[in-house]
């Protein structure tokens, strides 16, 4: 199925200034933009992610690669060695140690898969799974851009696979989005790290302004109706779609400070950049982006973002 259409999402509704910004911050934080300011960033341990599983209420972010064990479940990454060969007596004994098969991680907190997607010791390649509801298909330009960025920062082969999300637009909880992601599609394997992007109609339950949301280490969603809502004279749906999709993928790769502790994240908007020129700036996923930035959203990672992605890649190597 061609999952792409030719063109066309703030965690912020179209309401008045302060309330909107407050709603933006809440929607963004609670909606799993990776980090909940109210939640102690669990530097090494994860607490049970919120009922909706996002790093919202009650969920910390697990720093993959951190020494402290992380609890399994919705908040963390545990690895299961599903492919380690058992030491049977059959077969010739070779002296050269075969390269270790990377352990396939279990989905966890937003950002936890950064090293898995980016690092040499992570998956051998990356598969972007794009599934859309009818009428919410992303533009080919958006997906080509994500594929190019991922190939650049990971140095790996990056491919895409398409698919359909059945049903009509509705109010999606983060748990709904994870369930839809798990309903079908390729699984994580040592060969392929799967990053799932769902393009949905309707919106995020509890927020009439959230354009994009990352709900787990391997899953993010973009609401096409919100993308169209945010478009206008200042910017096109296509640009907003590209910006928000890149932003959510940035969270899945570990930006900003979901994996590293550089201290450069925006203290007012955890998990985000302070640089208004970065696609990781908080307002990028806000319908207020035009008001806040006085024009279309940035669509690129800035130098600091790219340096962090390289550091995350190096972290697992
Ligand atoms: Zn965000």
């Amino acid at each position: 199925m061609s999952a792409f259409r030719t063109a066309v999402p703030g965690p912020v509704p179209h309401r008045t200034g302060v309330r909107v910004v407050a709603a933006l911050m809440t929607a963004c934080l609670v909606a799993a933009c990776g980090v909940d300011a109210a939640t102690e960033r669990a530097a090494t341990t994860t607490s049970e992610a919120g009922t909706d599983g996002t790093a919202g209420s009650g969920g910390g972010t697990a720093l993959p690669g951190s020494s402290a064990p992380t609890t399994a479940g919705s908040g963390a990454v545990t690895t299961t060695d599903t492919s380690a060969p058992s030491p049977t007596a059959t077969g010739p004994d070779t002296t050269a140690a075969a390269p270790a098969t990377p352990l396939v991680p279990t989905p966890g907190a937003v950002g936890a898969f950064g090293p898995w997607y980016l690092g040499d010791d992570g998956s051998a390649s990356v598969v972007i799974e794009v599934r859309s509801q009818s009428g919410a298909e992303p533009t080919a330009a958006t997906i080509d851009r994500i594929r190019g960025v991922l190939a650049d920062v990971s140095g790996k082969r990056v491919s895409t696979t398409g698919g359909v999300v059945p049903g009509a637009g509705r109010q999606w909880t983060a748990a709904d989005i994870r369930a839809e992601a798990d309903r079908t599609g390729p699984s994580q394997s040592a060969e392929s790290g799967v990053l799932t992007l769902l393009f949905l109609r309707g919106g995020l339950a509890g927020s009439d302004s959230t354009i994009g949301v990352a709900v787990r280490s391997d899953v993010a969603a973009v609401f096409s109706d919100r993308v169209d809502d945010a478009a206008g004279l200042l910017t096109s749906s296509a640009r907003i779609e590209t910006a928000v999709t890149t932003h959510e993928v940035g969270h899945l790769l570990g930006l900003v400070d979901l994996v590293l502790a550089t201290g450069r994240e925006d203290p007012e908007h955890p998990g985000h950049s302070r640089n208004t020129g970065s696609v990781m700036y908080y307002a990028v996923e806000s319908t207020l982006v035009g008001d806040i930035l006085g024009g279309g959203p940035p669509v690129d990672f800035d130098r600091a973002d790219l340096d962090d992605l390289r550091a995350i890649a190096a972290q697992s190597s």
Side-chain angles (χ1 to χ4, degrees):
M1 154 173 175
S2 157
F4 313 126
R5 72 176 161 136
T6 46
V8 205
V12 183
H14 306 176
R15 288 171 260 158
T16 54
V18 177
R19 200 153 41 93
V20 167
V21 171
L24 165 104
M25 287 172 64
T26 315
C28 178
L29 296 173
V30 174
C33 275
V35 178
D36 174 6
T39 308
E40 271 314 303
R41 183 186 301 259
T44 54
T45 59
T46 45
S47 57
E48 202 54 42
T51 50
D52 62 1
T54 61
S57 53
T61 358
L63 281 183
S66 65
S67 56
T70 57
T71 56
S74 63
V77 175
T78 56
T79 56
T80 50
D81 184 354
T82 56
S83 56
S86 54
T88 61
T90 55
D93 173 19
T94 67
T95 54
T101 305
L103 301 176
V104 177
T106 305
V110 173
F113 270 23
W116 169 244
Y117 295 132
L118 298 176
D120 293 344
D121 288 353
S123 65
S125 70
V126 178
V127 172
I128 307 170
E129 182 196 13
V130 178
R131 285 197 278 120
S132 315
Q133 279 192 301
S134 173
E137 298 82 356
T139 64
T142 291
I143 301 306
D144 285 346
R145 183 182 187 76
I146 300 293
R147 184 176 34 211
V149 167
L150 268 170
D152 283 351
V153 292
S154 70
K156 298 180 183 180
R157 182 169 46 81
V158 179
S159 59
T160 61
T161 177
V164 169
V165 175
R170 58 190 172 95
Q171 294 304 294
W172 299 79
T173 66
D176 293 336
I177 295 169
R178 284 191 296 276
E180 174 53 37
D182 293 337
R183 183 182 59 79
T184 183
S187 307
Q188 303 291 337
S189 72
E191 174 48 37
S192 307
V194 180
L195 188 157
T196 300
L197 299 175
L198 302 179
F199 290 82
L200 305 173
R201 302 296 303 269
L204 184 69
S207 164
D208 58 6
S209 61
T210 299
I211 305 179
V213 63
V215 295
R216 200 173 65 190
S217 52
D218 57 333
V219 180
V222 174
F223 300 103
S224 63
D225 299 326
R226 295 282 178 269
V227 168
D228 294 339
D229 290 348
L233 293 176
L234 288 170
T235 189
S236 67
S237 287
R239 185 179 177 90
I240 290 173
E241 179 193 88
T242 299
V244 173
T245 308
T246 305
H247 182 104
E248 302 309 334
V249 167
H251 285 319
L252 298 185
L253 297 178
L255 297 178
V256 173
D257 278 359
L258 300 182
V259 172
L260 306 173
T262 67
R264 73 178 184 89
E265 70 174 341
D266 178 349
E268 301 294 317
H269 307 97
H272 295 93
S273 171
R274 299 175 214 207
N275 173 14
T276 58
S278 160
V279 73
M280 295 314 294
Y281 186 63
Y282 82 94
V284 166
E285 56 207 341
S286 149
T287 52
L288 274 186
V289 65
D291 302 343
I292 293 173
L293 295 178
V299 294
D300 293 311
F301 295 122
D302 66 8
R303 165 71 38 213
D305 297 328
L306 293 170
D307 289 346
D308 283 1
L309 291 175
R310 273 190 283 278
I312 292 167
Q315 199 183 58
S316 87
S317 305

